[in-house]
Amino acid sequence: MKVLEIFENKLRYKNYSKNTIKVYKQTLHQYFKETDCKDPYRISTKDIVNYLESKSFSSVAQQNQFIGCLKLFARYILNKKEVHLDKIERPRAEKKLPKVIDKEFLLDRISKIENLKHKSIISLAYSTGMRVSEVCNLKIEDIDSKRMLIHIKNSKGNKDRFVPLSPAILSLLREYFKVFKPIEFLFNGQFSLQYSHRSCNEIVKKYLGSEFHFHLIRHSHATALLESGTDLRYIQDQLGHSSSKVTEVYTHVSTTHKHRLPLPI
């Protein structure tokens, strides 16, 4: 559908990240399919609101994904003004605490992984707190072994940042590099230059358990830093959070802080 290409080009022009463009394009395509849309340019704000209010979402995150996508579609393709877009409201935010993986359990499972690529991916994620998209998009040139830094480029919110590279991870990656000889991206897929998000989640479930997914490693990294006494502002910078409020949620997860509370009995 031509309008999908126009939408994609508009988001690219507005400098949205590659991952956001990909997700929003897929989301818009799903909207057209589910509404049996014949003429995208005749969609009204009311049509979008009715769709959002009648659709069953698997989570608030998915609901916000559809709202974000359709708001941009209304603004950039349908030329709807802000006064119309205000009708498309977001749900109240969930106040769930992030789930974390026990540090000792995680380190024990990592130590038993024999597949060098899989071990490198999970170890890197836990050591740095990188998102799954950041691991998949990481290029060989982004590893600065002299300064012991990893340059994460064009991540969420189109932001760049540096995260520290530990000697142990550098040694593991060098061992991996000698065996797999990756091209351009640090982790190549079986039939592509990039390892996929799906494959990353599959190896987490394979080695850690079916109840876990890749993003929990990021949560576990942040909690481990906090429990070791790391300043919250550093953790915010390490994770690439725009707001300290996002990072502060880990204070509610950390057991160290709970143990410091003066209990009445």
Side-chain angles (χ1 to χ4, degrees), residues 80-114:
K80 298 294 183 182
K81 296 180 180 180
E82 292 295 338
V83 65
H84 295 131
L85 297 179
D86 287 341
K87 297 177 183 178
I88 306 175
E89 298 181 353
R90 290 187 179 274
R92 295 180 64 184
E94 291 180 306
K95 295 184 178 180
K96 293 182 179 179
L97 293 177
K99 184 179 178 181
V100 298
I101 307 171
D102 178 73
K103 179 179 178 180
E104 299 304 321
F105 169 82
L106 185 51
L107 292 176
D108 178 65
R109 289 299 178 95
I110 290 175
S111 69
K112 295 176 180 177
I113 300 175
E114 295 182 0

PDB file of all heavy atoms in Angstrom, residues 80-114:
ATOM      1  N   LYS A  80      -4.414  16.125  10.466  1.00  0.00           N
ATOM      2  CA  LYS A  80      -5.322  16.490  11.546  1.00  0.00           C
ATOM      3  C   LYS A  80      -4.623  17.458  12.499  1.00  0.00           C
ATOM      4  O   LYS A  80      -3.444  17.320  12.791  1.00  0.00           O
ATOM      5  CB  LYS A  80      -5.767  15.241  12.324  1.00  0.00           C
ATOM      6  CG  LYS A  80      -6.547  14.227  11.492  1.00  0.00           C
ATOM      7  CD  LYS A  80      -7.886  14.771  11.051  1.00  0.00           C
ATOM      8  CE  LYS A  80      -8.675  13.715  10.277  1.00  0.00           C
ATOM      9  NZ  LYS A  80      -9.963  14.235   9.786  1.00  0.00           N
ATOM     10  N   LYS A  81      -5.366  18.418  12.998  1.00  0.00           N
ATOM     11  CA  LYS A  81      -4.806  19.400  13.915  1.00  0.00           C
ATOM     12  C   LYS A  81      -4.801  18.834  15.339  1.00  0.00           C
ATOM     13  O   LYS A  81      -5.481  17.864  15.654  1.00  0.00           O
ATOM     14  CB  LYS A  81      -5.619  20.691  13.867  1.00  0.00           C
ATOM     15  CG  LYS A  81      -5.570  21.385  12.502  1.00  0.00           C
ATOM     16  CD  LYS A  81      -6.400  22.667  12.523  1.00  0.00           C
ATOM     17  CE  LYS A  81      -6.345  23.353  11.161  1.00  0.00           C
ATOM     18  NZ  LYS A  81      -7.139  24.602  11.133  1.00  0.00           N
ATOM     19  N   GLU A  82      -4.019  19.470  16.205  1.00  0.00           N
ATOM     20  CA  GLU A  82      -3.887  19.019  17.585  1.00  0.00           C
ATOM     21  C   GLU A  82      -5.236  18.937  18.292  1.00  0.00           C
ATOM     22  O   GLU A  82      -5.461  18.077  19.132  1.00  0.00           O
ATOM     23  CB  GLU A  82      -2.956  19.966  18.357  1.00  0.00           C
ATOM     24  CG  GLU A  82      -1.498  19.903  17.912  1.00  0.00           C
ATOM     25  CD  GLU A  82      -0.854  18.558  18.187  1.00  0.00           C
ATOM     26  OE1 GLU A  82      -1.347  17.822  19.069  1.00  0.00           O
ATOM     27  OE2 GLU A  82       0.122  18.220  17.511  1.00  0.00           O
ATOM     28  N   VAL A  83      -6.127  19.835  17.953  1.00  0.00           N
ATOM     29  CA  VAL A  83      -7.441  19.845  18.602  1.00  0.00           C
ATOM     30  C   VAL A  83      -8.198  18.549  18.326  1.00  0.00           C
ATOM     31  O   VAL A  83      -8.963  18.060  19.153  1.00  0.00           O
ATOM     32  CB  VAL A  83      -8.269  21.073  18.152  1.00  0.00           C
ATOM     33  CG1 VAL A  83      -8.601  20.987  16.657  1.00  0.00           C
ATOM     34  CG2 VAL A  83      -9.544  21.190  18.982  1.00  0.00           C
ATOM     35  N   HIS A  84      -7.965  17.955  17.160  1.00  0.00           N
ATOM     36  CA  HIS A  84      -8.591  16.675  16.828  1.00  0.00           C
ATOM     37  C   HIS A  84      -7.854  15.519  17.504  1.00  0.00           C
ATOM     38  O   HIS A  84      -8.472  14.568  17.973  1.00  0.00           O
ATOM     39  CB  HIS A  84      -8.598  16.463  15.308  1.00  0.00           C
ATOM     40  CG  HIS A  84      -9.435  17.451  14.570  1.00  0.00           C
ATOM     41  ND1 HIS A  84      -8.965  18.127  13.470  1.00  0.00           N
ATOM     42  CD2 HIS A  84     -10.698  17.901  14.775  1.00  0.00           C
ATOM     43  CE1 HIS A  84      -9.909  18.946  13.025  1.00  0.00           C
ATOM     44  NE2 HIS A  84     -10.965  18.831  13.797  1.00  0.00           N
ATOM     45  N   LEU A  85      -6.529  15.644  17.545  1.00  0.00           N
ATOM     46  CA  LEU A  85      -5.718  14.567  18.105  1.00  0.00           C
ATOM     47  C   LEU A  85      -5.912  14.426  19.609  1.00  0.00           C
ATOM     48  O   LEU A  85      -5.661  13.376  20.186  1.00  0.00           O
ATOM     49  CB  LEU A  85      -4.234  14.810  17.798  1.00  0.00           C
ATOM     50  CG  LEU A  85      -3.859  14.816  16.310  1.00  0.00           C
ATOM     51  CD1 LEU A  85      -2.379  15.090  16.128  1.00  0.00           C
ATOM     52  CD2 LEU A  85      -4.223  13.497  15.660  1.00  0.00           C
ATOM     53  N   ASP A  86      -6.366  15.498  20.261  1.00  0.00           N
ATOM     54  CA  ASP A  86      -6.623  15.449  21.697  1.00  0.00           C
ATOM     55  C   ASP A  86      -7.712  14.446  22.047  1.00  0.00           C
ATOM     56  O   ASP A  86      -7.827  14.003  23.198  1.00  0.00           O
ATOM     57  CB  ASP A  86      -7.021  16.837  22.220  1.00  0.00           C
ATOM     58  CG  ASP A  86      -5.836  17.793  22.273  1.00  0.00           C
ATOM     59  OD1 ASP A  86      -4.691  17.294  22.253  1.00  0.00           O
ATOM     60  OD2 ASP A  86      -6.057  19.009  22.326  1.00  0.00           O
ATOM     61  N   LYS A  87      -8.522  14.093  21.056  1.00  0.00           N
ATOM     62  CA  LYS A  87      -9.593  13.121  21.288  1.00  0.00           C
ATOM     63  C   LYS A  87      -9.023  11.706  21.459  1.00  0.00           C
ATOM     64  O   LYS A  87      -9.699  10.830  21.991  1.00  0.00           O
ATOM     65  CB  LYS A  87     -10.580  13.136  20.122  1.00  0.00           C
ATOM     66  CG  LYS A  87     -11.306  14.468  19.947  1.00  0.00           C
ATOM     67  CD  LYS A  87     -12.210  14.422  18.726  1.00  0.00           C
ATOM     68  CE  LYS A  87     -12.897  15.777  18.501  1.00  0.00           C
ATOM     69  NZ  LYS A  87     -13.740  15.757  17.282  1.00  0.00           N
ATOM     70  N   ILE A  88      -7.811  11.517  20.965  1.00  0.00           N
ATOM     71  CA  ILE A  88      -7.168  10.204  21.076  1.00  0.00           C
ATOM     72  C   ILE A  88      -6.365  10.187  22.376  1.00  0.00           C
ATOM     73  O   ILE A  88      -5.227  10.642  22.439  1.00  0.00           O
ATOM     74  CB  ILE A  88      -6.240   9.925  19.868  1.00  0.00           C
ATOM     75  CG1 ILE A  88      -7.011  10.110  18.552  1.00  0.00           C
ATOM     76  CG2 ILE A  88      -5.665   8.527  19.956  1.00  0.00           C
ATOM     77  CD1 ILE A  88      -6.149   9.979  17.317  1.00  0.00           C
ATOM     78  N   GLU A  89      -6.956   9.685  23.430  1.00  0.00           N
ATOM     79  CA  GLU A  89      -6.348   9.727  24.752  1.00  0.00           C
ATOM     80  C   GLU A  89      -5.570   8.451  25.057  1.00  0.00           C
ATOM     81  O   GLU A  89      -5.924   7.365  24.609  1.00  0.00           O
ATOM     82  CB  GLU A  89      -7.430   9.926  25.821  1.00  0.00           C
ATOM     83  CG  GLU A  89      -8.197  11.233  25.678  1.00  0.00           C
ATOM     84  CD  GLU A  89      -9.245  11.398  26.764  1.00  0.00           C
ATOM     85  OE1 GLU A  89      -9.465  10.435  27.533  1.00  0.00           O
ATOM     86  OE2 GLU A  89      -9.839  12.488  26.843  1.00  0.00           O
ATOM     87  N   ARG A  90      -4.521   8.628  25.829  1.00  0.00           N
ATOM     88  CA  ARG A  90      -3.722   7.488  26.275  1.00  0.00           C
ATOM     89  C   ARG A  90      -4.293   6.939  27.583  1.00  0.00           C
ATOM     90  O   ARG A  90      -4.868   7.676  28.380  1.00  0.00           O
ATOM     91  CB  ARG A  90      -2.257   7.890  26.470  1.00  0.00           C
ATOM     92  CG  ARG A  90      -1.539   8.191  25.154  1.00  0.00           C
ATOM     93  CD  ARG A  90      -0.056   8.424  25.374  1.00  0.00           C
ATOM     94  NE  ARG A  90       0.615   8.688  24.106  1.00  0.00           N
ATOM     95  CZ  ARG A  90       1.074   7.766  23.288  1.00  0.00           C
ATOM     96  NH1 ARG A  90       0.936   6.486  23.599  1.00  0.00           N
ATOM     97  NH2 ARG A  90       1.685   8.094  22.161  1.00  0.00           N
ATOM     98  N   PRO A  91      -4.114   5.638  27.831  1.00  0.00           N
ATOM     99  CA  PRO A  91      -4.612   5.037  29.081  1.00  0.00           C
ATOM    100  C   PRO A  91      -3.766   5.466  30.271  1.00  0.00           C
ATOM    101  O   PRO A  91      -2.640   5.951  30.101  1.00  0.00           O
ATOM    102  CB  PRO A  91      -4.463   3.531  28.819  1.00  0.00           C
ATOM    103  CG  PRO A  91      -3.298   3.453  27.879  1.00  0.00           C
ATOM    104  CD  PRO A  91      -3.429   4.658  26.980  1.00  0.00           C
ATOM    105  N   ARG A  92      -4.296   5.290  31.456  1.00  0.00           N
ATOM    106  CA  ARG A  92      -3.526   5.571  32.654  1.00  0.00           C
ATOM    107  C   ARG A  92      -2.361   4.594  32.730  1.00  0.00           C
ATOM    108  O   ARG A  92      -2.489   3.416  32.406  1.00  0.00           O
ATOM    109  CB  ARG A  92      -4.406   5.412  33.893  1.00  0.00           C
ATOM    110  CG  ARG A  92      -5.531   6.430  33.973  1.00  0.00           C
ATOM    111  CD  ARG A  92      -6.368   6.223  35.221  1.00  0.00           C
ATOM    112  NE  ARG A  92      -5.580   6.459  36.423  1.00  0.00           N
ATOM    113  CZ  ARG A  92      -6.053   6.270  37.662  1.00  0.00           C
ATOM    114  NH1 ARG A  92      -7.293   5.832  37.836  1.00  0.00           N
ATOM    115  NH2 ARG A  92      -5.293   6.512  38.709  1.00  0.00           N
ATOM    116  N   ALA A  93      -1.218   5.112  33.143  1.00  0.00           N
ATOM    117  CA  ALA A  93      -0.006   4.301  33.181  1.00  0.00           C
ATOM    118  C   ALA A  93      -0.112   3.199  34.231  1.00  0.00           C
ATOM    119  O   ALA A  93      -0.677   3.388  35.310  1.00  0.00           O
ATOM    120  CB  ALA A  93       1.202   5.180  33.481  1.00  0.00           C
ATOM    121  N   GLU A  94       0.435   2.017  33.887  1.00  0.00           N
ATOM    122  CA  GLU A  94       0.489   0.918  34.850  1.00  0.00           C
ATOM    123  C   GLU A  94       1.588   1.202  35.869  1.00  0.00           C
ATOM    124  O   GLU A  94       2.609   1.798  35.545  1.00  0.00           O
ATOM    125  CB  GLU A  94       0.793  -0.400  34.126  1.00  0.00           C
ATOM    126  CG  GLU A  94      -0.327  -0.894  33.244  1.00  0.00           C
ATOM    127  CD  GLU A  94       0.026  -2.190  32.565  1.00  0.00           C
ATOM    128  OE1 GLU A  94       1.067  -2.247  31.918  1.00  0.00           O
ATOM    129  OE2 GLU A  94      -0.752  -3.153  32.689  1.00  0.00           O
ATOM    130  N   LYS A  95       1.384   0.750  37.085  1.00  0.00           N
ATOM    131  CA  LYS A  95       2.385   0.970  38.129  1.00  0.00           C
ATOM    132  C   LYS A  95       2.976  -0.355  38.596  1.00  0.00           C
ATOM    133  O   LYS A  95       3.120  -0.613  39.787  1.00  0.00           O
ATOM    134  CB  LYS A  95       1.758   1.732  39.297  1.00  0.00           C
ATOM    135  CG  LYS A  95       1.310   3.140  38.919  1.00  0.00           C
ATOM    136  CD  LYS A  95       0.771   3.912  40.099  1.00  0.00           C
ATOM    137  CE  LYS A  95       0.387   5.329  39.687  1.00  0.00           C
ATOM    138  NZ  LYS A  95      -0.153   6.115  40.830  1.00  0.00           N
ATOM    139  N   LYS A  96       3.308  -1.194  37.621  1.00  0.00           N
ATOM    140  CA  LYS A  96       3.899  -2.487  37.930  1.00  0.00           C
ATOM    141  C   LYS A  96       5.402  -2.333  38.128  1.00  0.00           C
ATOM    142  O   LYS A  96       6.059  -1.562  37.432  1.00  0.00           O
ATOM    143  CB  LYS A  96       3.642  -3.485  36.795  1.00  0.00           C
ATOM    144  CG  LYS A  96       2.183  -3.875  36.626  1.00  0.00           C
ATOM    145  CD  LYS A  96       2.033  -4.890  35.518  1.00  0.00           C
ATOM    146  CE  LYS A  96       0.583  -5.313  35.344  1.00  0.00           C
ATOM    147  NZ  LYS A  96       0.422  -6.299  34.234  1.00  0.00           N
ATOM    148  N   LEU A  97       5.938  -3.088  39.075  1.00  0.00           N
ATOM    149  CA  LEU A  97       7.380  -3.074  39.293  1.00  0.00           C
ATOM    150  C   LEU A  97       8.039  -4.026  38.302  1.00  0.00           C
ATOM    151  O   LEU A  97       7.493  -5.076  37.968  1.00  0.00           O
ATOM    152  CB  LEU A  97       7.705  -3.525  40.725  1.00  0.00           C
ATOM    153  CG  LEU A  97       7.253  -2.590  41.843  1.00  0.00           C
ATOM    154  CD1 LEU A  97       7.588  -3.211  43.194  1.00  0.00           C
ATOM    155  CD2 LEU A  97       7.907  -1.228  41.709  1.00  0.00           C
ATOM    156  N   PRO A  98       9.232  -3.663  37.817  1.00  0.00           N
ATOM    157  CA  PRO A  98       9.918  -4.549  36.874  1.00  0.00           C
ATOM    158  C   PRO A  98      10.354  -5.843  37.544  1.00  0.00           C
ATOM    159  O   PRO A  98      10.772  -5.838  38.707  1.00  0.00           O
ATOM    160  CB  PRO A  98      11.145  -3.719  36.441  1.00  0.00           C
ATOM    161  CG  PRO A  98      11.365  -2.761  37.566  1.00  0.00           C
ATOM    162  CD  PRO A  98       9.988  -2.430  38.082  1.00  0.00           C
ATOM    163  N   LYS A  99      10.221  -6.938  36.843  1.00  0.00           N
ATOM    164  CA  LYS A  99      10.665  -8.235  37.345  1.00  0.00           C
ATOM    165  C   LYS A  99      12.163  -8.360  37.104  1.00  0.00           C
ATOM    166  O   LYS A  99      12.668  -7.907  36.079  1.00  0.00           O
ATOM    167  CB  LYS A  99       9.916  -9.346  36.602  1.00  0.00           C
ATOM    168  CG  LYS A  99      10.223 -10.748  37.097  1.00  0.00           C
ATOM    169  CD  LYS A  99       9.401 -11.763  36.313  1.00  0.00           C
ATOM    170  CE  LYS A  99       9.737 -13.185  36.765  1.00  0.00           C
ATOM    171  NZ  LYS A  99       8.961 -14.194  35.976  1.00  0.00           N
ATOM    172  N   VAL A 100      12.879  -8.932  38.040  1.00  0.00           N
ATOM    173  CA  VAL A 100      14.321  -9.102  37.875  1.00  0.00           C
ATOM    174  C   VAL A 100      14.691 -10.567  38.060  1.00  0.00           C
ATOM    175  O   VAL A 100      13.959 -11.340  38.682  1.00  0.00           O
ATOM    176  CB  VAL A 100      15.124  -8.230  38.864  1.00  0.00           C
ATOM    177  CG1 VAL A 100      14.853  -6.758  38.632  1.00  0.00           C
ATOM    178  CG2 VAL A 100      14.823  -8.612  40.302  1.00  0.00           C
ATOM    179  N   ILE A 101      15.841 -10.928  37.519  1.00  0.00           N
ATOM    180  CA  ILE A 101      16.358 -12.285  37.639  1.00  0.00           C
ATOM    181  C   ILE A 101      17.425 -12.290  38.726  1.00  0.00           C
ATOM    182  O   ILE A 101      18.297 -11.415  38.751  1.00  0.00           O
ATOM    183  CB  ILE A 101      16.961 -12.764  36.297  1.00  0.00           C
ATOM    184  CG1 ILE A 101      15.946 -12.576  35.160  1.00  0.00           C
ATOM    185  CG2 ILE A 101      17.381 -14.227  36.395  1.00  0.00           C
ATOM    186  CD1 ILE A 101      16.532 -12.829  33.779  1.00  0.00           C
ATOM    187  N   ASP A 102      17.372 -13.256  39.596  1.00  0.00           N
ATOM    188  CA  ASP A 102      18.348 -13.355  40.681  1.00  0.00           C
ATOM    189  C   ASP A 102      19.771 -13.382  40.129  1.00  0.00           C
ATOM    190  O   ASP A 102      20.071 -14.127  39.188  1.00  0.00           O
ATOM    191  CB  ASP A 102      18.086 -14.618  41.501  1.00  0.00           C
ATOM    192  CG  ASP A 102      19.083 -14.812  42.618  1.00  0.00           C
ATOM    193  OD1 ASP A 102      19.017 -14.087  43.613  1.00  0.00           O
ATOM    194  OD2 ASP A 102      19.961 -15.694  42.455  1.00  0.00           O
ATOM    195  N   LYS A 103      20.639 -12.572  40.713  1.00  0.00           N
ATOM    196  CA  LYS A 103      22.005 -12.413  40.216  1.00  0.00           C
ATOM    197  C   LYS A 103      22.772 -13.734  40.208  1.00  0.00           C
ATOM    198  O   LYS A 103      23.410 -14.077  39.202  1.00  0.00           O
ATOM    199  CB  LYS A 103      22.750 -11.380  41.062  1.00  0.00           C
ATOM    200  CG  LYS A 103      24.186 -11.148  40.638  1.00  0.00           C
ATOM    201  CD  LYS A 103      24.866 -10.103  41.507  1.00  0.00           C
ATOM    202  CE  LYS A 103      26.324  -9.910  41.102  1.00  0.00           C
ATOM    203  NZ  LYS A 103      26.994  -8.889  41.947  1.00  0.00           N
ATOM    204  N   GLU A 104      22.734 -14.451  41.305  1.00  0.00           N
ATOM    205  CA  GLU A 104      23.478 -15.710  41.393  1.00  0.00           C
ATOM    206  C   GLU A 104      22.958 -16.733  40.394  1.00  0.00           C
ATOM    207  O   GLU A 104      23.732 -17.463  39.765  1.00  0.00           O
ATOM    208  CB  GLU A 104      23.392 -16.267  42.829  1.00  0.00           C
ATOM    209  CG  GLU A 104      23.993 -15.361  43.889  1.00  0.00           C
ATOM    210  CD  GLU A 104      25.452 -15.013  43.589  1.00  0.00           C
ATOM    211  OE1 GLU A 104      26.186 -15.897  43.123  1.00  0.00           O
ATOM    212  OE2 GLU A 104      25.836 -13.847  43.818  1.00  0.00           O
ATOM    213  N   PHE A 105      21.637 -16.783  40.254  1.00  0.00           N
ATOM    214  CA  PHE A 105      21.019 -17.698  39.290  1.00  0.00           C
ATOM    215  C   PHE A 105      21.461 -17.343  37.870  1.00  0.00           C
ATOM    216  O   PHE A 105      21.836 -18.222  37.082  1.00  0.00           O
ATOM    217  CB  PHE A 105      19.494 -17.607  39.400  1.00  0.00           C
ATOM    218  CG  PHE A 105      18.744 -18.296  38.294  1.00  0.00           C
ATOM    219  CD1 PHE A 105      18.513 -19.652  38.339  1.00  0.00           C
ATOM    220  CD2 PHE A 105      18.279 -17.570  37.199  1.00  0.00           C
ATOM    221  CE1 PHE A 105      17.815 -20.292  37.310  1.00  0.00           C
ATOM    222  CE2 PHE A 105      17.588 -18.200  36.169  1.00  0.00           C
ATOM    223  CZ  PHE A 105      17.355 -19.573  36.231  1.00  0.00           C
ATOM    224  N   LEU A 106      21.439 -16.052  37.554  1.00  0.00           N
ATOM    225  CA  LEU A 106      21.788 -15.586  36.212  1.00  0.00           C
ATOM    226  C   LEU A 106      23.250 -15.888  35.882  1.00  0.00           C
ATOM    227  O   LEU A 106      23.563 -16.411  34.806  1.00  0.00           O
ATOM    228  CB  LEU A 106      21.511 -14.085  36.107  1.00  0.00           C
ATOM    229  CG  LEU A 106      21.690 -13.405  34.741  1.00  0.00           C
ATOM    230  CD1 LEU A 106      20.937 -14.161  33.656  1.00  0.00           C
ATOM    231  CD2 LEU A 106      21.203 -11.973  34.812  1.00  0.00           C
ATOM    232  N   LEU A 107      24.148 -15.581  36.794  1.00  0.00           N
ATOM    233  CA  LEU A 107      25.577 -15.833  36.568  1.00  0.00           C
ATOM    234  C   LEU A 107      25.866 -17.325  36.435  1.00  0.00           C
ATOM    235  O   LEU A 107      26.709 -17.737  35.631  1.00  0.00           O
ATOM    236  CB  LEU A 107      26.404 -15.228  37.698  1.00  0.00           C
ATOM    237  CG  LEU A 107      26.422 -13.697  37.776  1.00  0.00           C
ATOM    238  CD1 LEU A 107      27.198 -13.223  38.992  1.00  0.00           C
ATOM    239  CD2 LEU A 107      27.031 -13.108  36.503  1.00  0.00           C
ATOM    240  N   ASP A 108      25.161 -18.135  37.225  1.00  0.00           N
ATOM    241  CA  ASP A 108      25.351 -19.586  37.152  1.00  0.00           C
ATOM    242  C   ASP A 108      24.902 -20.126  35.799  1.00  0.00           C
ATOM    243  O   ASP A 108      25.602 -20.951  35.181  1.00  0.00           O
ATOM    244  CB  ASP A 108      24.559 -20.265  38.273  1.00  0.00           C
ATOM    245  CG  ASP A 108      24.677 -21.783  38.229  1.00  0.00           C
ATOM    246  OD1 ASP A 108      25.802 -22.297  38.433  1.00  0.00           O
ATOM    247  OD2 ASP A 108      23.653 -22.457  37.986  1.00  0.00           O
ATOM    248  N   ARG A 109      23.753 -19.647  35.321  1.00  0.00           N
ATOM    249  CA  ARG A 109      23.247 -20.106  34.017  1.00  0.00           C
ATOM    250  C   ARG A 109      24.160 -19.652  32.874  1.00  0.00           C
ATOM    251  O   ARG A 109      24.413 -20.413  31.928  1.00  0.00           O
ATOM    252  CB  ARG A 109      21.823 -19.591  33.796  1.00  0.00           C
ATOM    253  CG  ARG A 109      20.780 -20.262  34.679  1.00  0.00           C
ATOM    254  CD  ARG A 109      20.722 -21.761  34.418  1.00  0.00           C
ATOM    255  NE  ARG A 109      19.768 -22.443  35.262  1.00  0.00           N
ATOM    256  CZ  ARG A 109      18.505 -22.706  34.891  1.00  0.00           C
ATOM    257  NH1 ARG A 109      18.074 -22.335  33.701  1.00  0.00           N
ATOM    258  NH2 ARG A 109      17.690 -23.338  35.709  1.00  0.00           N
ATOM    259  N   ILE A 110      24.652 -18.426  32.958  1.00  0.00           N
ATOM    260  CA  ILE A 110      25.553 -17.912  31.917  1.00  0.00           C
ATOM    261  C   ILE A 110      26.829 -18.746  31.845  1.00  0.00           C
ATOM    262  O   ILE A 110      27.335 -19.066  30.761  1.00  0.00           O
ATOM    263  CB  ILE A 110      25.890 -16.427  32.172  1.00  0.00           C
ATOM    264  CG1 ILE A 110      24.665 -15.552  31.921  1.00  0.00           C
ATOM    265  CG2 ILE A 110      27.047 -15.971  31.269  1.00  0.00           C
ATOM    266  CD1 ILE A 110      24.867 -14.081  32.259  1.00  0.00           C
ATOM    267  N   SER A 111      27.356 -19.118  33.002  1.00  0.00           N
ATOM    268  CA  SER A 111      28.619 -19.877  33.056  1.00  0.00           C
ATOM    269  C   SER A 111      28.496 -21.251  32.404  1.00  0.00           C
ATOM    270  O   SER A 111      29.496 -21.841  31.983  1.00  0.00           O
ATOM    271  CB  SER A 111      29.076 -20.038  34.511  1.00  0.00           C
ATOM    272  OG  SER A 111      28.206 -20.901  35.231  1.00  0.00           O
ATOM    273  N   LYS A 112      27.270 -21.752  32.301  1.00  0.00           N
ATOM    274  CA  LYS A 112      27.056 -23.095  31.745  1.00  0.00           C
ATOM    275  C   LYS A 112      26.711 -23.093  30.257  1.00  0.00           C
ATOM    276  O   LYS A 112      26.533 -24.159  29.660  1.00  0.00           O
ATOM    277  CB  LYS A 112      25.949 -23.798  32.536  1.00  0.00           C
ATOM    278  CG  LYS A 112      26.338 -24.068  33.990  1.00  0.00           C
ATOM    279  CD  LYS A 112      25.187 -24.668  34.773  1.00  0.00           C
ATOM    280  CE  LYS A 112      25.597 -24.927  36.226  1.00  0.00           C
ATOM    281  NZ  LYS A 112      24.475 -25.447  37.041  1.00  0.00           N
ATOM    282  N   ILE A 113      26.619 -21.903  29.642  1.00  0.00           N
ATOM    283  CA  ILE A 113      26.293 -21.822  28.216  1.00  0.00           C
ATOM    284  C   ILE A 113      27.518 -22.187  27.389  1.00  0.00           C
ATOM    285  O   ILE A 113      28.573 -21.558  27.512  1.00  0.00           O
ATOM    286  CB  ILE A 113      25.807 -20.400  27.838  1.00  0.00           C
ATOM    287  CG1 ILE A 113      24.547 -20.036  28.628  1.00  0.00           C
ATOM    288  CG2 ILE A 113      25.521 -20.318  26.326  1.00  0.00           C
ATOM    289  CD1 ILE A 113      24.063 -18.610  28.399  1.00  0.00           C
ATOM    290  N   GLU A 114      27.399 -23.193  26.543  1.00  0.00           N
ATOM    291  CA  GLU A 114      28.529 -23.641  25.729  1.00  0.00           C
ATOM    292  C   GLU A 114      28.599 -22.930  24.383  1.00  0.00           C
ATOM    293  O   GLU A 114      29.686 -22.740  23.835  1.00  0.00           O
ATOM    294  CB  GLU A 114      28.450 -25.158  25.527  1.00  0.00           C
ATOM    295  CG  GLU A 114      28.606 -25.941  26.829  1.00  0.00           C
ATOM    296  CD  GLU A 114      28.573 -27.439  26.619  1.00  0.00           C
ATOM    297  OE1 GLU A 114      28.435 -27.874  25.437  1.00  0.00           O
ATOM    298  OE2 GLU A 114      28.685 -28.192  27.601  1.00  0.00           O
TER     299      GLU A 114
END
